[in-house]
Amino acid sequence: MDRIDQCRIFARVVETGSFTRAAETLGQPRSTVSTAVQALEARVGARLLARTTRSVTPTPDGHAFYEYCVRLVADMDEAEDLFRRERGHVRGVLRVNLPARIGRLIVAPALPEFVAAHPGIQLEMGVTDRPVNLTEEGLDCVLRVGTLHDSGLIARRMGWMTLLNVASPAYLARHGIPQTPADLAHDGHVAVRYMSPANGRVEAWEWEEDEQLHTLDLPGPVTVNSAETQIACCLAGLGLIQVPGYDVRPLVQSGQLCVVLPQWCAPAMPVSLLYPHRRHLSSRLQVFAGWLEGLLTPHLR
């Protein structure tokens, strides 16, 4: 194993805080990771990691050496990518994470096109709505919808996702069709309430009017923590929901769901691709980000 690979492994152990997680994200045996770090410590003549039964943390020397390793590995990747681009080949593993519904409804059906155009890229695609740690989970990028918190990551804005207010015909037959937001409270309307997986907060009903944001704590018989379940409950007639347009447009077109209060929708949500703060983006990530942006454009504004 050459010194660049040893540095790559050491950096991943620091980032994940675990030999086991580093081995998993690198696709190598744990013994290989451990041996590489030991060889690197012997080469530099310093103890780089403090190991306990519960955690692995860098020593002061390890902290300083980690910064050099990250730059060294990035420079080597940049040099290799330069020649790959010149030959028209982009190769390697790309680990991404997407919101579940976007992954299933938009990205997965279009993947044959991406795979055909870039056969050298091995895409590992995770789908989840929970927060993820890029370094600990060995991810190259994540796509997220909504307001971003300061995470030290670079955010590439893909666009804005519009939301619709919808309900099933059966629900509207029982409760009537609201004509204004005031009808929601006065006529006893209910919602399928959504609890954020990120913070456990139940989201209020929102709408914009006269450039002002209004909220209403609309009651409901069911609270869920996934968009998939929320839409299923709405189809079952359990209440109104606010949901991204791409998520339900076929259901609206088929008449299974009906749009209500179209003039009073929740604010559009930003859609961003997040990746680590590095001087150089791998050609794999650049290619995927460009393809993903083009794929999402028809669904965003």
Side-chain angles (χ1 to χ4, degrees):
M1 181 179 293
D2 63 30
R3 280 176 282 183
I4 294 294
D5 286 335
Q6 289 176 345
C7 288
R8 191 188 305 276
I9 289 173
F10 168 71
R12 186 59 58 84
V13 172
V14 172
E15 291 164 353
T16 60
S18 164
F19 283 94
T20 300
R21 285 199 296 272
E24 290 173 349
T25 60
L26 291 168
Q28 297 187 14
R30 188 186 185 284
S31 59
T32 300
V33 170
S34 179
T35 300
V37 171
Q38 291 173 6
L40 193 59
E41 289 179 319
R43 182 184 296 275
V44 301
R47 187 174 179 226
L48 301 176
L49 296 174
R51 304 160 175 85
T52 69
T53 56
R54 289 190 170 185
S55 65
V56 178
T57 56
T59 63
D61 287 336
H63 273 294
F65 191 69
Y66 167 76
E67 300 298 329
Y68 284 102
C69 283
V70 170
R71 291 196 295 269
L72 183 64
V73 171
D75 287 343
M76 190 63 186
D77 287 344
E78 184 173 1
E80 291 179 347
D81 281 345
L82 174 65
F83 293 106
R84 287 168 180 160
R85 286 196 298 269
E86 288 180 351
R87 294 194 300 267
H89 298 297
V90 181
R91 297 184 177 279
V93 177
L94 184 69
R95 297 178 177 89
V96 306
N97 189 276
L98 310 171
R101 297 282 292 181
I102 291 179
R104 186 172 73 82
L105 297 178
I106 298 178
V107 177
L111 279 180
E113 169 199 334
F114 180 83
V115 171
H118 307 286
I121 296 180
Q122 296 173 276
L123 188 64
E124 295 184 4
M125 188 176 77
V127 291
T128 181
D129 296 315
R130 65 171 176 81
V132 296
N133 186 305
L134 271 74
T135 54
E136 287 188 2
E137 301 188 35
L139 297 170
D140 295 292
C141 65
V142 298
L143 185 74
R144 285 298 175 260
V145 179
T147 303
L148 300 174
H149 303 289
D150 185 13
S151 61
L153 301 173
I154 299 297
R156 173 172 170 174
R157 182 61 49 81
M158 295 284 174
W160 294 83
M161 182 172 291
T162 57
L163 286 90
L164 298 176
N165 308 316
V166 297
S168 71
Y171 171 87
L172 296 175
R174 293 195 309 272
H175 295 268
I177 301 175
Q179 301 301 317
T180 70
D183 294 341
L184 295 175
H186 295 162
D187 296 346
H189 283 279
V190 297
V192 179
R193 291 154 62 89
Y194 182 80
M195 181 173 63
S196 169
N199 55 30
R201 180 176 61 86
V202 176
E203 297 183 357
W205 190 272
E206 296 182 342
W207 72 93
E208 288 184 311
E209 186 174 2
D210 298 328
E211 299 183 354
Q212 296 290 323
L213 177 64
H214 300 265
T215 63
L216 174 66
D217 186 17
L218 199 59
V222 179
T223 300
V224 301
N225 66 354
S226 79
E228 195 94 35
T229 307
Q230 188 186 34
I231 293 170
C233 289
C234 184
L235 285 166
L238 289 171
L240 298 153
I241 63 172
Q242 293 185 306
V243 68
Y246 81 87
D247 237 343
V248 294
R249 195 159 284 118
L251 298 173
V252 171
Q253 292 171 346
S254 67
Q256 296 178 74
L257 291 177
C258 304
V259 175
V260 298
L261 301 175
Q263 302 97 323
W264 294 282
C265 292
M269 298 186 296
V271 180
S272 308
L273 187 70
L274 307 176
Y275 47 85
H277 196 295
R278 293 172 183 155
R279 289 180 303 160
H280 166 70
L281 288 184
S282 71
S283 54
R284 298 184 299 277
L285 181 51
Q286 292 181 48
V287 164
F288 179 77
W291 174 81
L292 182 63
E293 186 171 19
L295 181 66
L296 293 176
T297 294
H299 303 280
L300 307 176
R301 68 166 174 81

